[in-house]
Amino acid sequence: MKSQRLKSQSAILKNNSEFHLEEDDFLETRHKGVRSWILSHMFYRSNKYLMFIFFALIVFTSFFGSYIYIIIGKAIDVFSAGQSDQVVSYTFIVLFIGLGTPILGLLGRACREIVAQRIERDVRREFYLSLLGKSQSFHDRAPVGDTMARATNDVRFLNFLISPALAMILNAIINLIVPIYLIGSTYRLELMLIPIIFSIIFILYLRRFLRRLTPPTVSRRIAFGFMNTVLNESLSGIEVVKSMAQEEHSVEKYKDSAMSYRDAGIEQGDIQAKYLPLLLLSITVTLGLTIAVFYNRAGILSVGAVLGLVGLLLQLRFPVNASIRSFLMLQEAVVGAGRLLEIMNKKSEIFDSHDAVSKEIEGKVKFENVTFAYPGTQNKVLKKINFEVSAGQTVAIVGTTGSGKTTLTKLISRLYDIDDGRILIDGIDVRNFSLQSLRDQIAYIEQDIFIFSDSIFDNISFGRDSSEEQVISVAQEAQAHEFIENLPDQYNTEVGERGVQLSGGERQRIAIARAFLTDPKILILDDSSSSIDSETEERIQKAIFKILRGRTTFIITHRLSQIRWADLIIVLNQGEIVNQGTHEDLLKNSKEYQKIFIKRFDKTLDDLLGGD
Amino acid sequence: MSRKMGYFGLDEEGYDRIYSDRELFSRVIKLFKPYRRSMTIVIIFICLSSVTYGLTPFLMSLVIKQLELESNPLILIFFIINILILNSLGYVFNYVNRRTGNRMVYGVCYNLRRQTNLRVLEQDLSFFDKYPTGRIVSRINSDGQKFGGSVTMFTELISSFLMLIIVLIPMIFISLLLTGVFMLIVPIVFAFTLSFRKVSRRKSVLGQRSLAQVNAFVQESMAGIQIIKSFRQEESQFENFQAINDQSFRVNMSRALYLSILFPSLDILIAVLYALLIFFGGNFVTQGVLSGSDIYLFLQSSLILFAPLLQIAGFWPQFQEGLSAAERIFALQDSQSYIKQGDYILDSIKGKIEFENLGFEYVPEKPVFKDFNLEIQPGETVAIVGHTGAGKSSLTKILLRLYEFQSGDVRIDGHSIRDISLTEFRRSIGFIPQVPFLWADTIENNVTYGAPDAKREEVIWALEQAGGTEWVESLDNGLETFILERGKVLSMGQRQLIVFARVLLQNPSILILDEATASVDPFTELQIQESMERVMQGRTTIIIAHRLTTVRNVDRIIVLDHGKIVEEGNHENLMQKNGYYARLYNTYFRHQSYEFISSIKSKISETNP
Ligand SMILES: Nc1ncnc2c1ncn2[C@@H]1O[C@H](COP(=O)(O)OP(=O)(O)OP(=O)(O)O)[C@@H](O)[C@H]1O
Ligand SMILES: Nc1ncnc2c1ncn2[C@@H]1O[C@H](COP(=O)(O)OP(=O)(O)OP(=O)(O)O)[C@@H](O)[C@H]1O
Ligand SMILES: [Mg+2]
Ligand SMILES: [Mg+2]
């Protein structure tokens, strides 16, 4: 019954992102919280065997690490008694334990390192995958620098959790138990009370210690993310910083963020410095010594036993010292994991519905009463949009800045979900398409062009296996071939972040070539020639024109040349369609259209209508 | 992608250098200079707490001696109380040392980060063309953190040394010979750990580079997520990520495994030593050379000794990570900007601009300008037009001194821009770059970016000039609306309008508009142009535009082709000349015409029946 419920629940969870792989082994534990999630990674697949070996070995080695003290104590007793024949055998016992322990220790270490590094890899993979699956509205809001910090730093703390924190903690636990046991078994049962009481107070204190460390640890992780965000932003906008000579402003901002990071670290350190168990241990040992002396006086314990007892109590310093660092690391890992889950467990607003269809698109697009506001805002960017395009037609969208043109096209490929109304492609609501099949068939030349810091070739082929001929041929059509040939390494030239090493028009042509290479059923050109001179544009247009054939095309432009061949022109104003029709209709009937185009060209209506 | 040792993308950056350990150390020590006082406190208190903790076993052995002697209980109590006091003092000393030490380390890292940030901001743009932001960020922030972690190890090193000495002294008194046996191990241990140093350094560097690589990759895919989504390329992106992530796994694994050999090996050495001590010690005891409690104390002390000894020995290989982090950061700090500022301060700029025999290239052998000459008079408005990639934007970036030019000279009001101080100069130029960039901040703060003291009315005025404020009012919080990184929640046109307003508030003497209104609709553009005409009065203005309607009324049009001026003159002259410009202009308008479009349509249907 229960597993049934879990199963159906996971089926719902599974689809809850734009992109995911078939298997997702951590789906359930992610939703159960930090602890079960971390555990599920620790015991994931073969990790559990490694963890088992690591656990077993650490128990073993820690035990012998302590046991060697007993042996030595015994050896001394034996030697003092003058049994010289035992010297060699004790030498060998010590040698045997002393050699065996590190060799097994090495094996344990190797196991724990493998698990630790694997966890770092797997968690980062899981996190990145989940980022890819988040909807655009999430990414609009997530500062890149902070996401970077989570993907590198917070993930790394999970590595440190296993190696060395967990090893240290296990070691500490054993080092806490062994002296207790040995005191009880070798000396007197009631003497066990000393380390037991110590341990109870110690553990209670550790809980408090962890709790008190939480706030500064959280703020340190947040501060790190913020520091990354600020630095990343100021370096991304370096051209503006420099050209306006505002370096100081950036420095101040970074300084503030670095300062809050520092302050959080200092607060952490102050709490760590107060670590009371150190004092507690001293008291315990002195107390133990006093009692032992008392027992000795009463004739219950021999001098050797007093020595041994104190030696065992002194051993408690290992867990005490190790816990300062290891528990901080534990806390960092838990906080880091919380930050990762915070993102991963955010529901993506967009995901495939369970009966999503994948089919070849013909290209009929229909907007029915579409109303839309960007998630998290009230401002209705599109209001009651209605229009219809048949397959293969070209639609031009015009309108003033901010009227919603770009937004409208983003809705077709379902980068956002609409609030009201329907968008139909071939009569099917876009929400019923599988994202893969929908977006695969729509190509987009975006207004805010993004070029990756790869080679030109990789930018044009963009994830597809395309041959050199294909890439060159689309580059030729986009009028890009010529300048690419002039670059230092032609198609293999690395173009720098966001393509900074290219001119504005060159970037735009790469984006055009990139879109040409796909074979889309719907093509969206958003202001795709704004940075291109008219002669080059003319040549590109021929290519665009060729490509338009048989595809539904949306063109957003302010250039009449491209508008005029459209079958339908939509005039947007503040999110509403004020007019739609052909160029001629609109020139006659649409005030808004006239406003945009007539003044511009200083031509009379007749001029534009007649074209001569 | 270049491959090295089976890894890709982990080569050193162009500015990476190798520092000798001595250089590194003196640099690191310099960082601690401002913290001399804290450093002194830390060292004193480390000594004090080491002494107190180190003395405890010694005092305890005294107590036990007294037991053997069956002396007065009062003496015992006296000793015990002393032990307690000593330990409590130790706790206090330890507290002071930890607290001060931690504050010092965070302070040093903070200063290091700030300095590095400062130095990075001094770089010219060619630096940022080459080195991805994500990697620089990783270097400053993550390596800074690594460095801090290692410095803490350094203070632990001091205390280990002290422990070593304190415990060693009583051991010498017990048995010089046994101590000699014990000391035998020391050179072996050190020789062994030092042999780890080199490889450990190399592996650390690779680890840090791979983290930087991951950082840069995540940064880029988050920045470009929209295009990844709209082309549905999550899968290929994910594969690329896997390659990088797996590589980081391999690199870090190899480092971790390598370092994990270190301590077990040391433990083995120590086991051998221990066996030796037992053997000799046992013989001494049975021969009556040493007493039982002496040998116990000796062995107990040597056990205590191993921890600091291992710490000292293990320090060097482990500290390599800190050193390599320091090296990476110092290399970033030391990389030289090509652009050196002059110190001449231009008070008020009239606006005469001269390019004389300018030679400029981004990449060697691929000149963008050769012997380029242009003179712009104060107050003149000049338009630069030409094919894409002709060098228009480059010209403005040279003028702003964002890139260093190779030959010739550029002069403002007769002063070479190499001789002038940049802050005042750049602040008096209003530059609108081709790609608008906005900060994650409110609209108002973005507008006042160049003039932080501007009042609300002035902000509104500037926005009015830039096509009106209605659109701002329609946003959820008006001027207070928070726009995210790069202004990605605004439309492209809106971003350009804000940038335009930003420049207006700056009240510049020279205006440079690189396609400032390319994404703005013609109607709004016209409005802007009208206000522009007012604003441009008395200022030297350079306009770059592909929409030729915007440049018709300027004083002079310069047609640029492959870095050369091919034509210049005003609109009428150039049209009459019927050359390059006329062709561009006619194309621009011709293909607005109906026949043009029909002709293409028919041509295409001919070729593709
Ligand atoms: N940072 C850079 N590194 C290397 N080469 C560059 C860089 N920036 C531009 N280039 C190259 O220099 C040439 C001139 O570029 P520039 O940006 O000046 O052209 P532009 O005239 O502004 O063109 P557009 O109209 O397309 O913006 C181009 O061939 C371009 O590839
Ligand atoms: N990601 C976003 N989140 C919130 N609001 C947004 C977002 N993107 C755009 N907007 C707002 O939506 C409105 C329409 O923007 P859109 O980009 O569609 O305009 P546009 O018509 O394409 O303008 P332009 O011609 O300037 O490109 C604008 O007011 C803008 O501020
Ligand atoms: Mg737009
Ligand atoms: Mg340009």
Side-chain angles (χ1 to χ4, degrees), chain A residues 39 57 91 179 186 211 215 224 247 306 379 382 421 425 478 503 529-530 539 594:
Chain A
L39 284 174
L57 287 178
T91 306
T186 16
R211 252 203 322 273
F224 191 86
E247 283 94 342
V306 175
N379 182 16
L382 292 174
I425 295 182
S503 85
S529 54
S530 58
R539 275 178 266 145
Q594 290 168 3

Side-chain angles (χ1 to χ4, degrees), chain B residues 169-192:
Chain B
I169 291 170
M171 282 169 72
I172 293 174
F173 282 110
I174 295 170
S175 166
L176 198 59
L177 189 66
L178 278 184
T179 315
V181 172
F182 182 83
M183 292 311 283
L184 260 181
I185 198 88
V186 174
I188 303 176
V189 165
F190 276 87
F192 180 73

Side-chain angles (χ1 to χ4, degrees), chain A residues 18 69 72 76 79 91 98-99 102 106 113-114 117 121 124-125 128 132 134 139-140 144 148 153 156 220 228 231-233 235 237 239 242-246 251 254-255 261 265 269-270 273-275 278 282 285-286 296-297 307 310 324 377-379 400-401 410 436 439 444 446-448 452-453 462 486 497-498 501 507 509 531 533-535 538 545 549 558 560-561 564 595-596 600-602 611, chain B residues 60 64 67 71 76 84 87 91 94-95 98-99 102-103 106 110 113-114 117-118 121 123 129 133 137 140-142 145 215 217 219-221 226-227 229 231-233 237 242 245-246 249 252-253 256 260 264 268 271 274-275 282 296 303 366 387-388 397 426-427 435 437 439-440 449 476 484-486 488 492 494-495 506 521-523 546 549 552 583-584 587 589-592 594-595 601 604 608:
Chain A
E18 284 197 12
Y69 285 78
I72 290 168
I76 292 162
F79 298 164
T91 306
L99 289 182
L106 179 63
E113 286 299 350
I114 293 173
Q117 302 293 347
R121 179 192 62 186
R124 186 172 290 132
R125 176 176 179 274
Y128 184 79
L132 285 178
K134 293 276 179 282
H139 289 289
D140 283 347
V144 175
M148 282 155 74
N153 252 271
R156 174 135 299 175
R220 199 167 80 103
N228 246 7
L231 187 57
N232 183 47
E233 197 190 14
L235 296 186
E239 192 186 20
K242 293 200 147 292
S243 64
M244 303 189 80
Q246 290 293 337
V251 167
Y254 181 69
K255 207 173 99 180
Y261 177 74
D270 285 356
K274 281 192 207 127
Y275 189 69
L278 281 177
S282 305
V285 173
T286 346
N296 174 264
R297 282 291 155 127
L307 259 175
V310 172
I324 310 180
T377 65
Q378 266 91 55
N379 182 16
T400 49
T401 281
K410 284 191 206 159
Q436 177 73 37
R439 292 187 183 159
Y444 197 61
E446 74 281 22
Q447 192 174 19
D448 186 6
F452 290 87
S453 61
F462 192 31
N486 274 323
E497 242 180 323
R498 285 181 181 257
Q501 299 181 20
R507 277 198 292 273
R509 281 177 281 164
S531 305
D533 62 283
S534 50
E535 279 194 322
E538 183 178 308
F545 214 91
R549 292 165 52 82
H558 300 302
L560 263 184
S561 50
R564 293 197 42 177
K595 184 174 101 182
I596 295 176
R600 179 72 262 149
F601 299 101
D602 290 331
Chain B
M60 291 202 171
I64 289 162
L67 276 184
S71 54
L76 284 176
L84 194 60
N87 272 307
Y91 173 78
N94 195 34
Y95 169 75
R98 265 177 197 277
R99 192 181 133 102
N102 182 62
R103 283 173 175 252
Y106 271 100
Y110 164 73
R113 287 206 172 97
R114 230 183 39 183
N117 179 247
L118 217 59
L121 286 177
Q123 296 294 333
D129 288 353
T133 323
V137 170
I140 300 182
N141 287 346
S142 298
Q145 200 173 22
N215 212 33
F217 188 87
Q219 190 237 21
E220 184 161 49
S221 39
Q226 187 169 325
I227 192 73
K229 283 190 178 306
F231 279 77
R232 193 64 186 171
Q233 287 304 330
Q237 195 67 18
Q242 289 269 73
N245 194 32
D246 285 347
F249 169 74
N252 284 305
M253 182 73 123
S260 64
I268 288 178
Y274 226 90
Y296 188 86
L303 272 182
K366 296 265 174 192
H387 279 178
T388 97
K397 289 179 193 163
R426 284 183 179 154
R427 286 199 181 151
V435 182
F437 184 93
W439 303 102
Y449 181 67
D476 279 354
L484 297 157
E485 282 170 347
R486 287 179 182 265
K488 57 186 171 187
M492 264 312 253
Q494 290 169 340
R495 288 180 225 173
Q506 205 186 332
D521 64 280
F523 176 69
H546 287 303
T549 44
R552 259 196 330 204
R583 208 166 72 233
L584 268 180
T587 322
F589 280 96
R590 184 165 51 84
H591 70 201
Q592 316 283 356
Y594 196 72
E595 299 107 292
K601 268 192 175 165
I604 286 167
N608 304 304

